């Protein structure tokens, strides 16, 4: 990764090199020269193979004096830090280089109901190429919503609407002589009003809809002298167009076909039209028409709906009768035309190419600043993440995940369990702690001044709960990270354990920004957490340690992923950046299932967001644990039938060290969790399960390897075949291990940090599973259902 303060931005010249002046070409033509002049970016141009000569012609024409490189050169991060693609999926070498930050412009998203064609398949390839780290620029909020609907795994914070605009040369022409001259030049009737529509190669099919709508209008209004002008047609022998013109019969003389129009003639051509009629999904022509004061009739099922706003008449794509009615309205009402002309002038002021390029430069720089700090140790990037997303999406648009693979936002299954919560006394939700009799109780914050926050289903309140004792070194960083959240509905609860080193004084410095803080003695970490959680008012609650800190969009990610789940028992498990001396790594959530009891759920507690219902279902953290109380709570949430949602999006920075780094004690406590959950197991059985499945064993394996583990597990199944909860847990643990042993890697190897190569011992383990389960009908049925569920969404 480049160490330069100013990131190197590579602009993909493919669209400009092709030279076909579509709307997308216009976007590149307006943006690229402006981006080369940005003081915040070190811009260079990238030419794909075969584009060098044509791109050089464009560069010379625009006098772009910036470096360039081509496909024959090293196209990876040796030449750039950011790669911006205005269309077409990026080259494979770009996608596979994780040091690069990828950026893309998306104009429209194919509707799922559309039949595949060349145009939609190319757009689908682009949409499929985007991953969770791609910075995506879209031309409207409409496109943004469609993209996030098609790709629910994407981070909404990284999908940015940009204000595309009309060309700077477009304005309302009031010179009647100039308008008359253009009419004469292109053979347009001088006396009759006309409807204008422009096409570019690849959009001729939209002209057929325009022709059909015009003919329908004329059939219903035979006394009208309205004409239709079709401009920009370079191929007048396009068969579907010829067929459409032949079918109009006696209205053919009312339709004028024009070829390419000189740029100098476009302004009077637009200005002289009664209206501009567009049936394209994306085009800049409506904006150009509006800049010339010409009313627009366009499609309301595309990005145009938002771009033109209230300055036009919006209709469904196939609503030919609606178009005919709109033409009649405009023809018969001069006042409506005047009102729309004024609205056009007002609307176009909102859009400016300079502003657009500044938005892009600013967001690329901020995204790169974050990207450059990411550790090199992270999962490999799939070439087509969108394909994986579609395969995991059910009919309701919900992503389903399993331990073999999950996409961002995927949900796990809800598991059956016979456990019942015993303690119903916790949590007792409250605004403030009850003041103790001791003299050292101190409290403060916004709540003590009468300011109590709340949330809604659409804007859930996210509560961060921090317990601390004697930590002046990093607490300020933790507090600041909460204060700097991009999401607007956040609260912070800080509970101090009677610190003696100045921690309380530090907290008081934030008294006007922290929602609530208190200081009193406690009996340890989890006792303090149990006191702090009931103080949270949010629909989503996250435990944030005092030596960890949030990413700026952490709360935004949580609110987005959990917005539909805040009223039920549900958790969101997110990614973490683990900071180590060698640069760190990205820690992705482990998929939690009943078998996680025996291998330990490898999830960052500081990256978990839980609804209030989860805590009401699980009860408090077990204060008799020093390290693994959070693991026990996670598994209690699973047993309480909570919905688990997973995302690899990094929300928290995790600092190694402290008591949680004691691997041996962690192992001892994890085995104790198994003992608490399955009290019928003997110590030897618990120890054997630990050595069979635990992911990070800190105690030597004394069982003798896989062969003796097979014997041990066969006997364990036989002894406890009466317990369905245990059999379910053992089935999941066994099948996950079986997948690792037999397959080595899954479709997404990074879903497990401990994926292993193929082992020659796998057949004996597989035979053991089959043989043992077939001998016991109940375990067999449970395992069969489990395996079917696991394999369903591979």
């Amino acid at each position: 990764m480049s160490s330069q303060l100013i990131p190197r931005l590579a602009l993909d010249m493919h669209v400009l090199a092709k030279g076909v002046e579509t709307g997308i070409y216009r976007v590149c033509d307006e943006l690229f020269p402006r981006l080369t002049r940005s003081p915040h970016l070190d811009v260079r141009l990238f030419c794909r193979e075969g584009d060098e000569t044509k791109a050089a012609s464009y560069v010379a024409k625009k006098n772009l004096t910036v470096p360039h490189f081509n496909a024959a050169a090293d196209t990876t991060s040796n030449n750039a830090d950011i790669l911006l693609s205005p269309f077409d999926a990026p080259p494979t070498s770009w996608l596979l280089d994780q040091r690069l930050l990828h950026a893309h412009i998306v104009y429209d998203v194919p509707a799922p109901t559309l039949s595949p064609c060349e145009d939609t398949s190319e757009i689908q390839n682009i949409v499929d190429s985007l991953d969770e780290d791609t910075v995506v620029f879209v031309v409207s909020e409409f496109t943004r919503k469609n993209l996030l609907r098609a790709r629910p795994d994407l981070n909404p914070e990284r999908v940015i609407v940009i204000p595309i605009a009309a060309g700077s040369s477009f304005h309302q022409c009031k010179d009647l002589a100039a308008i008359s001259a253009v009419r004469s030049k292109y053979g347009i009737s001088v006396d009759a009003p006309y409807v204008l529509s422009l096409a570019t190669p690849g959009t001729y099919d939209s002209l057929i809809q325009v022709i059909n709508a015009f003919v329908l209008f004329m059939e219903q209004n035979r006394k009208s002298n309205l004409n239709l002008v079709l401009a920009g047609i370079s191929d007048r022998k396009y068969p579907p167009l010829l067929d459409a013109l032949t079918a109009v019969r006696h209205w053919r003389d009312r339709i004028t076909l024009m070829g390419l129009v000189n740029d100098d003639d476009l302004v009077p051509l637009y200005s002289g039209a009664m209206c501009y009629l567009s049936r394209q999904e994306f085009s800049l022509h409506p904006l150009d028409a509006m800049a010339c004061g010409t009313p627009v009739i366009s499609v309301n099922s595309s990005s145009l709906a938002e771009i033109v706003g209230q300055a036009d008449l919006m209709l469904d794509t196939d609503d030919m009768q609606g178009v005919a009615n709109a033409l009649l309205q405009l023809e018969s009402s001069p006042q409506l035309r005047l009102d729309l002309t004024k609205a056009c002038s007002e609307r176009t002021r909102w859009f400016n190419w300079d502003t657009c390029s500044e938005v892009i430069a600013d967001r690329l720089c901020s995204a790169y600043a974050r990207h450059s700090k990411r550790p090199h140790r992270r999962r490999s990037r799939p070439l087509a993440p969108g394909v994986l997303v579609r395969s995991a999406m059910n009919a309701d648009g919900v992503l389903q995940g399993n331990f073999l693979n999950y996409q961002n936002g995927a949900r796990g299954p809800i598991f059956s369990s016979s456990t019942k919560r015993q303690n119903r006394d916790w949590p007792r939700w409250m605004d403030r702690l009850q003041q103790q009799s001791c003299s050292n109780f101190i409290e403060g914050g916004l709540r003590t001044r009468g300011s109590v926050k709340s949330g809604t289903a659409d804007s859930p309140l996210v509560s961060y709960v921090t317990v601390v004792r004697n930590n002046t070194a990093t607490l300020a960083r933790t507090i600041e990270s909460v204060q700097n959240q991009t999401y607007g509905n956040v609260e912070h609860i800080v509970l101090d354990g009677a610190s003696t080193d100045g921690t309380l004084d530090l907290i008081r410095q934030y008294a006007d920004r922290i929602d609530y803080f208190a200081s009193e003695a406690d009996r340890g970490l989890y006792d303090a957490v149990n006191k702090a959680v009931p103080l949270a008012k949010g629909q989503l609650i996250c435990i944030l340690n005092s030596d960890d800190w949030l990413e700026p969009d952490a709360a935004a990610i949580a609110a987005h992923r959990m917005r539909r789940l805040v009223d039920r028992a549900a958790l969101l498990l997110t990614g973490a950046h683990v900071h180590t001396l060698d640069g760190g790594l990205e820690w992705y959530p482990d998929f939690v299932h009943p078998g996680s009891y025996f291998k330990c759920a490898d999830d960052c507690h500081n990256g978990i967001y839980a609804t209030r219902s989860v805590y009401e279902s699980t009860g408090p953290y077990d204060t008799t644990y020093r390290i693994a109380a959070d693991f026990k709570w996670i598994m209690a949430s699973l047993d309480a039938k909570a919905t688990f949602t997973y995302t690899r999006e990094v929300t928290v920075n995790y600092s190694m060290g402290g008591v949680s780094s004691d691997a041996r004690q962690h192992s001892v406590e994890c085995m104790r969790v198994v003992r608490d959950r399955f009290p019928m197991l003997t110590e030897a059985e618990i120890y054997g399960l630990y050595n069979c499945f635990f992911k990070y064993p800190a105690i030597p394996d004394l069982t003798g390897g896989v062969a003796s583990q097979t014997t041990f597990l066969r006997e364990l199944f036989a002894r406890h075949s009466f317990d369905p909860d245990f059999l379910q847990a053992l089935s999941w643990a066994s099948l996950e291990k079986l997948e690792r042993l037999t397959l080595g890697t899954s479709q997404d190897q990074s879903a497990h940090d401990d994926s292993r190569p193929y082992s020659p011992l796998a057949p004996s383990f597989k035979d053991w599973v089959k043989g043992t389960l077939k001998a016991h009908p109940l375990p067999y049925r449970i395992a069969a259902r489990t395996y079917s569920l696991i394999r369903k969404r591979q």
Side-chain angles (χ1 to χ4, degrees), residues 617-629:
S617 301
T618 61
Y621 292 85
D622 190 334
T623 58
T624 63
Y625 286 81
R626 293 177 58 243
I627 299 174

Side-chain angles (χ1 to χ4, degrees), residues 402-652:
N402 54 55
F403 64 68
L404 295 178
N405 188 21
Y406 63 79
Q407 307 305 318
N408 291 341
R411 298 181 193 174
I414 296 177
F415 297 94
S416 61
S417 173
S418 61
T419 60
K420 303 292 183 182
R421 178 183 170 184
Q422 302 298 321
N423 183 358
R424 296 282 179 182
D425 296 331
W426 185 96
R428 293 180 177 177
W429 303 104
M430 62 187 77
D431 293 342
R432 296 162 65 171
L433 282 180
Q434 295 180 354
Q435 187 167 347
Q436 306 297 312
S437 58
C438 58
S439 58
N440 64 348
F441 177 78
I442 299 169
E443 67 175 354
L446 297 175
R447 283 191 196 171
T448 62
R449 305 174 189 178
S451 176
V452 181
K453 294 177 181 175
S454 63
T456 65
D458 291 332
S459 181
L461 177 63
V462 181
S463 297
Y464 290 98
V465 173
T466 299
V467 299
V468 60
R469 188 174 189 277
N470 292 339
N471 186 7
T472 57
T474 61
L475 178 59
R477 179 179 63 186
T478 302
I479 295 173
E480 291 287 351
S481 75
V482 177
Q483 299 294 320
N484 293 332
Q485 289 300 293
T486 58
Y487 181 69
N489 201 15
V490 170
E491 72 168 3
H492 197 185
I493 311 300
V494 181
L495 199 58
D496 173 58
S499 293
T500 59
D501 69 341
T503 295
L504 183 56
D505 291 334
L506 190 156
I507 294 172
R508 281 172 167 152
Q509 295 176 22
Y510 295 92
D512 60 340
R513 287 183 280 168
I514 292 177
D515 291 87
Y516 180 77
F517 70 86
S519 179
E520 66 174 10
D522 56 55
R523 292 173 294 176
L525 170 64
Y526 291 111
D527 176 60
V529 171
N530 285 339
K531 290 195 296 183
V533 166
L535 295 165
K537 304 295 289 185
Q539 288 100 325
L540 299 173
I541 302 170
C542 175
I543 310 299
L544 178 64
N545 290 345
S546 65
D547 53 357
D548 301 330
W549 68 102
L550 300 171
E551 289 294 322
D553 57 352
I557 290 171
H560 170 68
R561 297 294 177 201
M562 295 290 284
R563 191 168 279 116
R564 296 167 61 183
L565 299 170
V566 294
D567 293 329
R568 70 176 77 170
L571 299 91
L572 172 69
L573 283 66
T574 72
H577 180 175
V578 181
H579 291 262
T580 60
L581 294 177
D582 63 349
L585 57 92
E586 287 190 354
W587 177 6
Y588 306 119
D590 199 20
F591 188 84
V592 183
H593 54 75
S596 300
Y597 269 113
F598 308 138
K599 69 185 189 68
C600 185
D602 188 21
D603 295 292
C604 178
H605 191 212
N606 287 223
I608 296 178
Y609 292 77
T611 63
R612 298 164 74 87
S613 295
V614 169
Y615 285 108
E616 292 167 352
S617 301
T618 61
Y621 292 85
D622 190 334
T623 58
T624 63
Y625 286 81
R626 293 177 58 243
I627 299 174
D630 53 352
F631 166 46
K632 185 176 182 180
W633 171 79
I634 291 171
M635 298 310 296
S637 301
L638 190 81
D639 286 336
K641 301 180 178 62
T643 299
F644 279 63
T645 300
Y646 303 87
T647 181
R648 294 187 181 90
E649 295 159 298
V650 173
T651 64
V652 66

Side-chain angles (χ1 to χ4, degrees), residues 26-27 29-31 33-34 37 62 163-173 263-264 266-267 270 284 287-292 348 351-355:
R26 279 271 308 279
V27 170
D29 185 47
E30 296 284 359
L31 284 178
R34 286 174 168 83
R37 298 191 293 269
K62 292 291 184 177
I164 61 173
S168 57
S169 61
F170 291 95
H171 60 278
Q172 187 173 4
C173 175
D263 291 345
D264 293 341
L266 282 173
V267 169
Y270 278 123
L284 291 179
L287 270 175
D288 296 339
M290 289 169 57
C292 296
T348 52
F351 300 93
N352 181 283
W353 284 114
D354 290 331
T355 301

Side-chain angles (χ1 to χ4, degrees), residues 648-707:
R648 294 187 181 90
E649 295 159 298
V650 173
T651 64
V652 66
N653 294 272
Y654 180 78
S655 299
M656 295 293 289
V659 66
S660 61
S661 298
D662 186 340
R664 183 179 181 85
Q665 181 63 27
H666 182 237
S667 296
V668 170
E669 291 197 2
C670 285
M671 284 191 285
R672 184 183 156 202
V673 171
V674 176
R675 183 186 308 114
D676 290 348
R677 178 61 180 84
F678 302 106
M680 76 288 186
L681 296 177
T682 66
E683 291 298 315
E685 289 172 333
I686 293 171
Y687 186 75
L689 287 166
Y690 169 86
N691 281 295
C692 286
F693 299 115
F694 197 68
K695 295 184 74 170
Y696 307 111
I699 301 173
D701 181 0
L702 304 178
T703 63
V706 173

Side-chain angles (χ1 to χ4, degrees), residues 7-19:
R8 301 169 299 170
L9 170 65
L11 300 175
D12 184 355
M13 296 292 290
H14 187 53
V15 171
L16 292 173
K18 288 194 295 187

Side-chain angles (χ1 to χ4, degrees), residues 711-727:
T711 301
F712 164 75
L713 291 172
R714 285 170 60 92
E715 294 175 351
L716 197 62
F717 259 90
R719 282 196 297 272
H720 299 291
S721 59
F722 60 85
D723 190 323
D725 284 359
F726 176 73
L727 294 182

